[in-house]
Amino acid sequence: MKIIVNRIIVKATCPYCGCLCDDVEVTLEDGEIYSIKNACPLGRMKINSATSNVRNLKYLIKSGNDKIEVTVDEAVEETANLLLSADKPILYGWSNTSCEAQRLGLKIAKILRGVWDNTTSVCHGTAAIATAESGIPSATLGEVKNRADLIIYWGSNPLEAHPRHFKRYSYYSKGRFVSNNARRKMIVIDVRETSAARLADKFIQVKPNSDYKVISTLHHIIKFGEPPERKAAEVNINDLMEAAKLIKEAKFGVVFFGLGLTMTGYGYCNLDALYSLIRELNRFSKWVTIPMRGHYNVTGANIVASYMTGFPFAVDFSTGKPYYNPGETTIIDLLYHNECDLLMSVAADPLGTLPGEVVSKTIGMKIIAQDPFPTPTTEAADIVLPTLICGVETGGTAYRMDGVPIPLKPILKSRLNLLSDEELLKKILERISWRR
Amino acid sequence: MKAILITARSIRQGELIEGLKHLMSTELNFCDLNPEDMLKIDVKNGDKVVLRRDNSEIFLKARCNPTLPLGLVYVIVHPEVNKLIPYNKSLRGMMPGKGLEIEIEKIP
Amino acid sequence: MDILIENGVFVERIKGRDPIVINAERKVILPGGVDLHSHFAGSKVTLGRLLRPEEHRLRHQFGNSGNHIGTGWATPTPFLCGYLYSKLGYAKIVEPAVPPLKARHTHEEMRGIPYMDKMSLLLLGNSWIIMDLIAQKRLKLLEKYVLWVLWASKTYGIKLVAPGSGEAWAWGKSITHIDDEIPNFSITPKDIIYNLARVNKEIGLKTPVHLHTNNLGSPGNYQTTIDSLKTVENLGLRDGDSPFIIHLVHAQFSSYKGDSWKTFSSGSEEVAAYINSNSHVSFDLGQIIFSNTTTMTADGAWQYNLYRLTGGKWINNDVENETASGIVPYTFKRKNYVNAIQWAVGLELALLVKDPWKLAVTTDHPNGGVFTSYPVIIAWLMNKKFRERTIEKINSKAKHIIILPSIDREYTLFETVIVTRSAPARIMGVKDGATIGIGKEANLAIYDLGDPERDLGENPVKLIKGLSSANYNIKNGLIVMKNGVPVQDFNGVTYYSGGVNESEELTELVDYYFKEYYTVEKENYIVQKGEVMHPVNVLEEVFK
Amino acid sequence: MRKIILTFKGHGRPVLVYNISPSVFRSKSLDQLKKLEVKSGNKTYQLKDFFIIEEEEPVIEPVETIIIENSTFNLKRIGEKMDTGRIVVNGDAGMHLGAYMKGGEIIVNGSVDDWCGAEMSGGMINILENAGNFLGANYIGSLEGMRGGVIKVEGSTKDFTGMRMAGGAIIVKRNCGSFLGYYMVNGEITVEASSGSETGSRMRGGVINIYGSAEIGVGFKKVGLNYITSEGKKLTLHVFRGDSIESGEGEIRIREVSK
């Protein structure tokens, strides 16, 4: 018979997607996870991954074709060596770790005169560019929960990528002025009929890469009450007329947009157009737009970089001063043009997520990978730095997709004798500062 | 056949992304096609197809998905499919991961 | 005369050996400056940075600083902010607009601001809990809640921004009259102003309620301003350092006459007359400076109007159940009729209000201009000729209708010390931090303003130059800045108020709102002491 | 006046040569020129590390002239902020050629990379082959791109030519990419061949002439016809006004609207 010595329930902040649900309850039994309440499959998986056997466990340094195990100090020393001898190192990732670690990363990049970029540059970077070009009318998610009577998901499928978004913040949530989904309407705009589209009051199927035209046409219909003279072939006017009617009836509307807008066509033009449309709509009623950020702390990475340097991502310190020019200083641009000679990835997997044409350029580059899990990047790396899982085994601060800061909590004590991202980076920073 | 490639996420992909990436190549190696398109290139569920763009190509299994519009190929995003994605300078660092023109063919 | 400092305070006699000696002969020694209204940290400021990378690219880069990174003008990065304030001879600064939900963000940035002591004001003018409690007349509970929410966000005082109007803006509307009912809440802006001013007095916060009036920025709003101030006339005065019941923030933006942009004119005489004849009001200027800046305020509806006027960029960011906010880049132009009048209104207010202890110099940084322009404002106040030189260059229609040219008053150096140090310190309830006296906190700035025997106002250029860069800035007895170069790393304290009230009624109330309306858990809303740089609570932590 | 010849020795990575500008070279001796600051990677070098520097005499040039031989796309920021003199680039030029330029002349006997002439306010840039994206455009966040001066491209350009352009003129002999004159405020763009999709989108003012075909934004309304003569040929151009979505007053004169 098993005797239960110790069973406690801890409140957790889910470190998976931009929803950053903070109502997750984990029951621990003798320090082991017994059950997880309120989490979606993604969050559940992430929290359980702490006990997974597929982890980076050892500090490894490449030697010939093999990797040999070293102590943490040796690994830090070697990391500092590589970083200091690099001509233009790029420090990339940062979206799956705490703001505290991101801050240290920026300091390291500044001392090294390297480049600091986060995963924003390949997901919502275009939204940040559009924000700089024309500004974003936005709000926190609670405003949607309490007020929104029309919700539009554009190029985003929350059921697959942000499973609890509907229930906690939007369509199925219960708020002060809109008590249930019977009073809310939902429009989904996508290139294919997604699972969310099946639940929508109206689904508008658009042709791939035609979003800019669709938004412009919708804008024209809303502004002038009629479709434009010259109709774009890709756009279904009837659909948009119906959507415009719903939009004009709404008291409080929101557009959630995902990679379906940021990654297609000329991403930032899509968003310029969308923001412009939202500004127009504010003449009739209240409208806001919120990006559906992927990683749980990618918003934090933008915020930390913005207040530390003035720029949200792709910050190049190589001349001593921060310089920001997406199209020249993002990881994709730099790797493609062979501008960097060292890639340090922290809590990300550039080799597994960047375009093939860019990944092929990293052959021959020195790579340092800091990650709790094995990835194509750690496989190819010259130095592997294992860490604890931020948000499960260690705490910190993270920002939700709408910019609300929420503390991450260490849910369980790790059985592994490893350091957190923050502690490891602090060691690296100390080593570098001392050597300089 | 020429087609437009859309990459997107799924719950299963999301589950694998942290820590179980090695399972992606076996679990997520298929691409969704409209049944009419499948007829056009003469494949059945589970048949192997090749997706090509310029010099890069990847091999996946075809899967029928009647909700997809004609001419669209939907692949769950994973390291393998990224190999098809090019660099485009005027996108300011963004990867053109959706709406990419590719060539799809049956492997005999 | 010698000024002696040991262990961070002024002393009569130094006990230790080998003190550092600074020869300040023929220099001007002032207590460290206090800025009681400057938007320097928090989510709004960071959104401003996101909106304007061009400003960080083109202006004010500070590379030569070790690990520190400094860029920006209207929205300098935290390190640069502390550095610029210190260079200016300041010691204490107040961030006047913290949405409770995002207080953690404000503290995160404030941790990175070196040298300064920081305070922040909490946006409560559109809070649902507060509006509901007022509507339900549960006023005792309101007091407990205010203490709790100040404690939870580790902030110092209450700020009301266009009370009720933020809630209206959440539906895309605005409130133009303080007697209008707030949508879905059966109360008026006046109720909020009155009740929070009363609560503020009852619970003994160190600073009065800071009020950003309704209709801010609109022609004819001086009447709203006076009506708002009248609302709290019968509350008497407060005990403690700061006797005022209400502090009118950036009064310049609230003192306009006229009924359209065409008939726009100055209402400074009326507002100044009201302040002169009443003792419960203090205010700060919100002086505009002719330059490009990034305006940011929790008054979302006004920012949307401003966006419609400029047609440029606009960020809006409403915070659930609490407040709205908006950001719009703006250029104040000399030749613009409205801007020229706005410029005059600020100075008129400063010159028409007789008692300097009632006012503080601010630009509502960055709304009217950046804080580094304070020396220019001092020069305008001290020198009529210098004012006239600027008047020469402004819009000619405006030139003829403003009353500024007819005002002869010139501030003395002593009066400028009051309006940049003593008065704001007193209004904020931190008088001891801005006084040179035995046992007081040793915050000093030493300036070279030329020959002190001569009239300092005579040479405005020299005055501005001297005030812009202190020879020494001494904070808590440490030399932190010497001739505009940081000497050592040093972090000031963060003052906050509030306390935990052990009350079931309060717990029940707060829990209800978190369960039903917020999207975060209560425990994640509370900013822990460990997240705040050197926290100092100026009230009792626990009330029974 | 002097004529300085710089021969690029080649380098695998970009080199920031913002000091290659007549405004900087003026009144500096050859020795001083050799020591001018040049940046690459995260290090600072001297001009002589990357270039062979020669001075040509006697001097007939009316203005201070710099000739860059063997230039490649790796030379970034040539002639940045220049206000006088002349630069001749033999070969290709990297990003930001003539950015923030105020005066003088740059001739490129080759192609240029992105952001050529960005935010320039005066002077003349002549490109004998092709240009990249963001020709005469703004940098991120600025509301005004090119404000004055002239850019001539003998070949074609890519996307976002003249983005947020607020003055001056751009002349392109061959095709342009998409989003020509995006957010344009003022000035004139002439494309003697065709342009891509969304031409003139979000345009607030200014004029775009297209002697070939283009796909223009949905917010444009036809207002009339315009007759011109180009290289001896008579052309009838359709005049459109917009972008009405942005309440714009821009004008597109175009021979043929595609689609």
Side-chain angles (χ1 to χ4, degrees):
Chain A
M1 194 180 80
K2 194 178 175 189
I3 302 160
I4 296 164
V5 224
N6 190 0
R7 184 185 279 188
I8 50 164
I9 297 174
V10 293
K11 274 283 189 71
T13 306
C14 169
Y16 192 91
C17 75
C19 287
L20 211 61
C21 304
D22 64 341
D23 60 340
V24 176
E25 284 177 8
V26 182
T27 308
L28 297 175
E29 200 177 278
D30 287 337
E32 302 278 331
I33 297 168
Y34 174 76
S35 69
I36 302 170
K37 220 175 103 188
N38 294 343
C40 67
L42 302 177
R44 198 178 295 272
M45 196 68 167
K46 177 80 186 259
I47 293 166
N48 275 323
S49 68
T51 55
S52 153
N53 290 326
V54 193
R55 285 281 295 266
N56 288 330
L57 302 170
K58 296 168 185 162
Y59 298 92
L60 299 173
I61 294 181
K62 202 179 221 171
S63 156
N65 287 331
D66 293 328
K67 289 198 179 97
I68 49 169
E69 188 182 345
V70 295
T71 65
V72 54
D73 289 324
E74 286 166 338
V76 167
E77 176 70 32
E78 185 59 21
T79 303
N81 276 343
L82 283 188
L83 287 172
L84 283 166
S85 57
D87 194 36
K88 190 166 178 175
I90 177 161
L91 281 65
Y92 173 80
W94 309 107
S95 302
N96 273 339
T97 186
S98 65
C99 294
E100 288 77 4
Q102 292 160 359
R103 261 201 301 278
L104 289 167
L106 276 161
K107 284 191 176 172
I108 294 173
K110 155 85 187 173
I111 295 180
L112 294 171
R113 292 185 162 220
V115 181
W116 187 94
D117 193 9
N118 61 57
T119 55
T120 304
S121 65
V122 290
C123 62
H124 275 79
T126 46
I129 296 171
T131 301
E133 293 287 356
S134 56
I136 176 170
S138 192
T140 66
L141 291 165
E143 288 289 282
V144 177
K145 169 186 156 94
N146 286 309
R147 302 180 200 272
D149 53 356
L150 178 58
I151 294 164
I152 300 179
Y153 283 97
W154 200 316
S156 147
N157 183 7
L159 291 181
E160 302 282 347
H162 305 83
R164 294 187 77 216
H165 197 265
F166 267 17
K167 189 148 187 288
R168 261 175 79 76
Y169 309 117
S170 76
Y171 194 46
Y172 291 140
S173 68
K174 203 161 119 286
R176 181 158 183 165
F177 303 114
V178 195
S179 49
N180 55 51
N181 67 319
R183 286 179 55 197
R184 296 191 207 268
K185 290 211 157 48
M186 178 164 73
I187 303 176
V188 170
I189 304 173
D190 212 311
V191 291
R192 63 191 174 94
E193 193 186 323
T194 59
S195 40
R198 276 166 225 141
L199 300 172
D201 295 275
K202 174 133 193 71
F203 167 54
I204 299 178
Q205 190 157 17
V206 295
K207 300 248 158 59
N209 299 328
S210 73
D211 301 80
Y212 186 84
K213 287 193 168 66
V214 174
I215 301 170
S216 302
T217 310
L218 187 59
H219 196 147
H220 195 281
I221 294 171
I222 281 164
K223 188 162 180 178
F224 301 106
E226 57 179 22
E229 272 172 31
R230 291 167 301 100
K231 299 173 184 74
E234 300 96 322
V235 181
N236 180 337
I237 295 287
N238 288 342
D239 270 350
L240 294 184
M241 292 294 276
E242 276 175 48
K245 191 165 164 278
L246 285 176
I247 285 169
K248 280 209 171 169
E249 282 166 3
K251 279 215 216 67
F252 186 112
V254 58
V255 180
F256 290 110
F257 63 90
L259 297 189
L261 264 193
T262 66
M263 245 188 200
T264 46
Y266 293 87
Y268 50 100
C269 300
N270 295 342
L271 296 160
D272 267 348
L274 176 68
Y275 296 171
S276 177
L277 171 64
I278 300 284
R279 287 197 294 271
E280 177 78 28
L281 288 171
N282 273 293
R283 290 174 56 194
F284 308 106
S285 51
K286 180 74 176 194
W287 276 83
V288 297
T289 175
I290 300 175
M292 298 287 281
R293 305 306 299 268
H295 296 297
Y296 70 87
N297 198 20
V298 62
T299 311
N302 296 150
I303 286 175
V304 168
S306 288
Y307 74 68
M308 292 279 286
T309 70
F311 309 117
F313 64 99
V315 191
D316 182 347
F317 293 101
S318 62
T319 60
K321 290 171 180 175
Y323 172 68
Y324 165 63
N325 192 19
E328 185 184 6
T329 59
T330 72
I331 181 161
I332 291 205
D333 299 309
L334 292 169
L335 293 183
Y336 187 80
H337 295 112
N338 297 317
E339 286 199 36
C340 290
D341 56 348
L342 185 148
L343 168 66
M344 176 164 177
S345 137
V346 178
D349 176 21
L351 268 50
T353 53
L354 297 182
E357 237 177 63
V358 172
V359 170
S360 62
K361 304 267 185 175
T362 60
I363 295 164
M365 263 176 89
K366 291 276 179 215
I367 297 171
I368 303 168
Q370 176 174 328
D371 206 304
F373 304 110
T375 62
T377 311
T378 55
E379 219 162 273
D382 296 274
I383 301 177
V384 179
L385 304 169
T387 59
L388 297 175
I389 305 169
C390 186
V392 182
E393 292 165 330
T394 67
T397 310
Y399 284 76
R400 200 166 68 186
M401 58 167 77
D402 56 351
V404 174
I406 296 176
L408 300 167
K409 293 165 206 148
I411 301 167
L412 62 153
K413 206 180 163 318
S414 176
R415 61 203 157 88
L416 306 169
N417 188 20
L418 296 175
L419 299 174
S420 67
D421 284 323
E422 192 187 341
E423 289 160 339
L424 192 59
L425 288 165
K426 202 176 268 170
K427 268 181 184 276
I428 295 170
L429 176 63
E430 271 166 19
R431 198 74 204 142
I432 290 170
S433 312
W434 183 78
R435 292 266 299 272
R436 270 269 144 124
Chain B
M1 182 186 83
K2 274 208 163 53
I4 303 274
L5 171 73
I6 298 282
T7 63
R9 298 187 48 188
S10 79
I11 289 255
R12 185 62 188 152
Q13 176 264 350
E15 285 181 332
L16 298 179
I17 200 165
E18 301 272 6
L20 299 170
K21 275 203 166 148
H22 57 284
L23 298 180
M24 281 187 170
S25 56
T26 50
E27 274 197 38
L28 305 178
N29 61 341
F30 34 126
C31 69
D32 290 15
L33 285 161
N34 182 291
E36 273 184 53
D37 284 337
M38 290 180 74
L39 276 178
K40 221 182 268 174
I41 58 168
D42 187 29
V43 290
K44 293 188 297 295
N45 248 346
D47 281 357
K48 271 196 153 188
V49 290
V50 58
L51 276 65
R52 257 190 225 113
R53 198 199 59 81
D54 278 2
N55 296 325
S56 34
E57 54 182 22
I58 60 168
F59 303 93
L60 299 167
K61 279 188 233 156
R63 186 167 70 172
C64 176
N65 185 344
T67 66
L68 275 185
L70 281 176
L72 212 68
V73 178
Y74 161 58
V75 180
I76 293 169
V77 60
H78 59 97
E80 194 64 16
V81 72
N82 286 333
K83 287 182 185 162
L84 285 183
I85 297 174
Y87 170 74
N88 183 340
K89 211 168 170 194
S90 56
L91 298 187
R92 290 190 161 177
M94 175 56 61
M95 57 194 274
K98 292 168 190 277
L100 199 65
E101 266 188 36
I102 51 141
E103 188 83 34
I104 182 165
E105 237 174 66
K106 181 185 180 176
I107 300 176
Chain C
M1 192 187 94
D2 290 340
I3 295 174
L4 305 175
I5 299 171
E6 192 163 39
N7 295 329
V9 292
F10 296 108
V11 292
E12 267 179 282
R13 198 168 292 113
I14 286 189
K15 297 197 187 84
R17 285 187 191 167
D18 299 327
I20 301 168
V21 179
I22 297 171
N23 182 355
E25 210 176 327
R26 305 187 79 74
K27 300 272 187 348
V28 174
I29 304 177
L30 303 180
V34 179
D35 191 347
L36 57 57
H37 197 102
S38 162
H39 302 272
F40 56 78
S43 92
K44 222 167 39 285
V45 183
T46 285
L47 284 169
R49 294 176 183 123
L50 264 169
L51 184 66
R52 305 204 64 194
E54 77 276 21
E55 189 211 66
H56 292 258
R57 177 173 64 247
L58 299 173
R59 300 171 86 166
H60 230 304
Q61 294 215 346
F62 184 68
N64 170 25
S65 54
N67 295 359
H68 300 297
I69 309 151
T71 62
W73 175 255
T75 52
T77 56
F79 170 75
L80 188 61
C81 173
Y83 163 80
L84 291 173
Y85 262 119
S86 202
K87 193 174 163 203
L88 215 55
Y90 274 62
K92 292 180 196 297
I93 51 179
V94 181
E95 161 58 53
V98 182
L101 186 63
K102 291 184 174 178
R104 178 168 280 109
H105 182 170
T106 309
H107 286 292
E108 195 176 306
E109 274 185 47
M110 290 207 298
R111 276 204 306 261
I113 298 175
Y115 316 131
M116 296 291 120
D117 289 341
K118 284 138 302 206
M119 283 161 268
S120 49
L121 304 176
L122 198 60
L123 292 165
L124 294 180
N126 294 290
S127 155
W128 282 5
I129 303 190
I130 283 176
M131 292 194 293
D132 283 341
L133 288 176
I134 293 172
Q136 295 157 7
K137 303 215 160 36
R138 297 161 82 185
L139 300 176
K140 271 289 150 207
L141 190 55
L142 177 63
E143 287 173 17
K144 290 177 187 164
Y145 172 70
V146 170
L147 277 169
W148 180 82
V149 74
L150 283 168
W151 169 82
S153 54
K154 303 289 179 284
T155 48
Y156 187 79
I158 301 172
K159 170 87 177 292
L160 307 179
V161 173
S165 177
E167 178 60 26
W169 172 242
W171 298 107
K173 303 186 176 68
S174 69
I175 288 187
T176 50
H177 203 279
I178 57 167
D179 284 317
D180 287 352
E181 202 173 279
I182 299 159
N184 300 318
F185 291 83
S186 51
I187 57 165
T188 64
K190 218 178 213 174
D191 295 330
I192 300 175
I193 299 170
Y194 177 81
N195 280 295
L196 283 179
R198 196 192 54 77
V199 164
N200 184 302
K201 185 181 175 187
E202 289 297 318
I203 61 180
L205 296 183
K206 302 287 176 189
T207 187
V209 165
H210 289 231
L211 175 70
H212 161 131
T213 61
N214 294 73
N215 280 341
L216 182 122
S218 313
N221 63 9
Y222 82 98
Q223 197 56 52
T224 315
T225 306
I226 293 175
D227 290 346
S228 304
L229 300 177
K230 272 187 183 155
T231 307
V232 293
E233 252 175 28
N234 66 358
L235 283 172
L237 294 182
R238 292 162 9 103
D239 305 327
D241 278 354
S242 173
F244 308 107
I245 278 289
I246 200 156
H247 176 82
L248 178 64
V249 298
H250 38 75
Q252 179 273 126
F253 288 110
S254 302
S255 309
Y256 306 142
K257 281 206 286 204
D259 38 42
S260 72
W261 295 114
K262 289 227 168 70
T263 57
F264 186 84
S265 66
S266 167
S268 59
E269 278 175 292
E270 286 78 359
V271 173
Y274 182 84
I275 293 170
N276 277 332
S277 57
N278 285 280
S279 48
H280 67 291
V281 183
S282 61
F283 73 103
D284 60 87
L285 290 188
Q287 175 63 37
I288 69 151
I289 306 291
F290 296 116
S291 63
N292 176 279
T293 188
T294 310
T295 69
M296 49 183 69
T297 158
D299 193 346
W302 162 246
Q303 289 298 82
Y304 183 63
N305 289 339
L306 192 61
Y307 150 69
R308 303 270 297 158
L309 287 172
T310 60
K313 309 189 204 178
W314 171 53
I315 278 186
N316 182 72
N317 204 313
D318 299 343
V319 178
E320 60 204 59
N321 321 347
E322 288 172 351
T323 182
S325 79
I327 304 160
V328 176
Y330 192 80
T331 307
F332 290 102
K333 296 183 185 121
R334 281 193 186 84
K335 294 294 176 196
N336 176 303
Y337 170 71
V338 172
N339 293 163
I341 302 241
Q342 288 180 311
W343 171 79
V345 171
L347 295 176
E348 285 167 9
L349 281 170
L351 295 163
L352 290 173
V353 169
K354 290 181 192 123
D355 181 1
W357 284 93
K358 283 184 176 174
L359 78 114
V361 164
T362 66
T363 55
D364 187 15
H365 167 85
N367 290 312
V370 294
F371 61 79
T372 46
S373 316
Y374 289 172
V376 185
I377 302 176
I378 303 293
W380 277 324
L381 293 178
M382 286 182 79
N383 188 325
K384 181 162 196 259
K385 278 199 200 106
F386 186 55
R387 289 202 290 270
E388 277 163 359
R389 267 173 32 205
T390 312
I391 292 171
E392 278 307 302
K393 287 182 246 165
I394 65 171
N395 178 290
S396 53
K397 189 178 153 207
K399 202 187 301 182
H400 293 111
I401 70 157
I402 54 174
I403 57 160
L404 187 61
S406 67
I407 304 175
D408 293 327
R409 182 176 171 194
E410 289 182 339
Y411 270 55
T412 62
L413 182 65
F414 190 67
E415 281 173 320
T416 67
V417 176
I418 294 174
V419 297
T420 54
R421 276 128 172 115
S422 321
R426 176 165 170 246
I427 294 165
M428 289 311 296
V430 289
K431 217 167 121 199
D432 283 0
T435 313
I436 301 179
I438 303 302
K440 307 285 195 230
E441 223 176 86
N443 303 331
L444 277 185
I446 305 176
Y447 300 94
D448 183 357
L449 302 181
D451 187 353
E453 313 285 304
R454 286 177 51 202
D455 181 9
L456 289 170
E458 221 167 76
N459 186 346
V461 177
K462 184 138 202 183
L463 179 74
I464 292 169
K465 212 177 148 217
L467 285 175
S468 295
S469 182
N471 288 144
Y472 285 91
N473 188 334
I474 296 170
K475 179 78 188 62
N476 291 72
L478 298 171
I479 301 171
V480 291
M481 201 71 139
K482 194 173 165 184
N483 294 324
V485 178
V487 175
Q488 56 186 310
D489 276 340
F490 174 79
N491 276 302
V493 301
T494 309
Y495 294 106
Y496 72 98
S497 309
V500 192
N501 213 302
E502 289 175 358
S503 148
E504 256 175 50
E505 202 187 3
L506 178 71
T507 313
E508 207 175 282
L509 170 90
V510 175
D511 285 352
Y512 176 80
Y513 280 82
F514 276 95
K515 186 165 163 281
E516 297 295 324
Y517 306 141
Y518 277 98
T519 54
V520 299
E521 298 288 300
K522 184 170 108 183
E523 58 178 88
N524 292 330
Y525 184 83
I526 299 168
V527 178
Q528 302 300 326
K529 264 180 154 180
E531 299 177 77
V532 180
M533 178 60 79
H534 304 152
V536 175
N537 192 347
V538 295
L539 294 181
E540 295 281 331
E541 187 81 32
V542 180
F543 295 83
K544 289 248 165 90
Chain D
M1 288 286 177
R2 289 192 305 184
K3 182 169 169 186
I4 308 276
I5 300 167
L6 304 172
T7 310
F8 185 41
K9 299 176 189 167
H11 190 66
R13 295 223 201 95
V15 185
L16 306 184
V17 291
Y18 44 85
N19 273 330
I20 300 190
S21 156
S23 324
V24 179
F25 275 34
R26 190 173 37 204
S27 72
K28 286 203 170 61
S29 70
L30 211 53
D31 263 358
Q32 282 171 316
L33 290 184
K34 283 182 180 164
K35 288 185 186 132
L36 276 179
E37 194 182 81
V38 168
K39 283 181 175 160
S40 178
N42 55 12
K43 294 180 187 62
T44 306
Y45 301 86
Q46 293 180 345
L47 199 58
K48 64 176 167 68
D49 297 335
F50 293 107
F51 295 90
I52 301 162
I53 306 164
E54 295 158 302
E55 188 173 344
E56 193 170 280
E57 316 226 30
V59 193
I60 8 145
E61 299 289 332
V63 289
E64 180 109 4
T65 301
I66 303 171
I67 296 176
I68 307 176
E69 299 287 350
N70 294 345
S71 182
T72 73
F73 285 124
N74 273 338
L75 292 182
K76 281 189 185 177
R77 302 186 178 279
I78 297 171
E80 188 185 48
K81 293 181 186 153
M82 76 185 256
D83 53 14
T84 176
R86 195 151 78 104
I87 300 179
V88 180
V89 181
N90 290 323
D92 300 326
M95 285 185 187
H96 316 293
L97 176 101
Y100 303 112
M101 182 173 171
K102 296 190 195 83
E105 187 187 7
I106 304 180
I107 299 159
V108 183
N109 288 312
S111 293
V112 294
D113 210 338
D114 299 0
W115 282 287
C116 168
E119 298 195 19
M120 72 188 271
S121 53
M124 163 95 194
I125 300 178
N126 202 340
I127 294 143
L128 298 181
E129 284 174 24
N130 303 327
N133 302 298
F134 305 106
L135 178 77
N138 67 325
Y139 284 112
I140 182 166
S142 305
L143 293 180
E144 289 188 351
M146 179 176 177
R147 274 152 247 185
V150 179
I151 304 178
K152 255 191 183 166
V153 182
E154 299 294 328
S156 62
T157 71
K158 290 185 184 152
D159 303 332
F160 299 101
T161 300
M163 175 169 170
R164 285 198 193 268
M165 183 168 169
I170 297 178
I171 300 150
V172 183
K173 295 278 180 194
R174 302 185 64 185
N175 293 336
C176 276
S178 298
F179 288 94
L180 173 72
Y182 190 52
Y183 272 116
M184 184 168 170
V185 191
N186 209 342
E188 184 161 358
I189 302 177
T190 304
V191 180
E192 301 193 358
S194 296
S195 136
S197 62
E198 302 300 344
T199 295
S201 215
R202 310 213 160 264
M203 201 172 166
R204 315 272 166 104
V207 177
I208 299 177
N209 303 306
I210 297 164
Y211 299 162
S213 70
E215 190 191 313
I216 61 178
V218 295
F220 282 86
K221 291 195 170 65
K222 197 170 167 185
V223 291
L225 294 174
N226 191 346
Y227 306 93
I228 59 150
T229 312
S230 163
E231 291 173 355
K233 273 186 274 178
K234 280 198 175 153
L235 294 177
T236 307
L237 301 181
H238 304 266
V239 182
F240 288 85
R241 202 163 267 275
D243 185 336
S244 63
I245 287 173
E246 297 279 334
S247 307
E249 293 280 304
E251 205 170 289
I252 300 182
R253 301 168 189 156
I254 183 169
R255 206 180 57 155
E256 189 192 337
V257 181
S258 56
K259 280 194 188 170

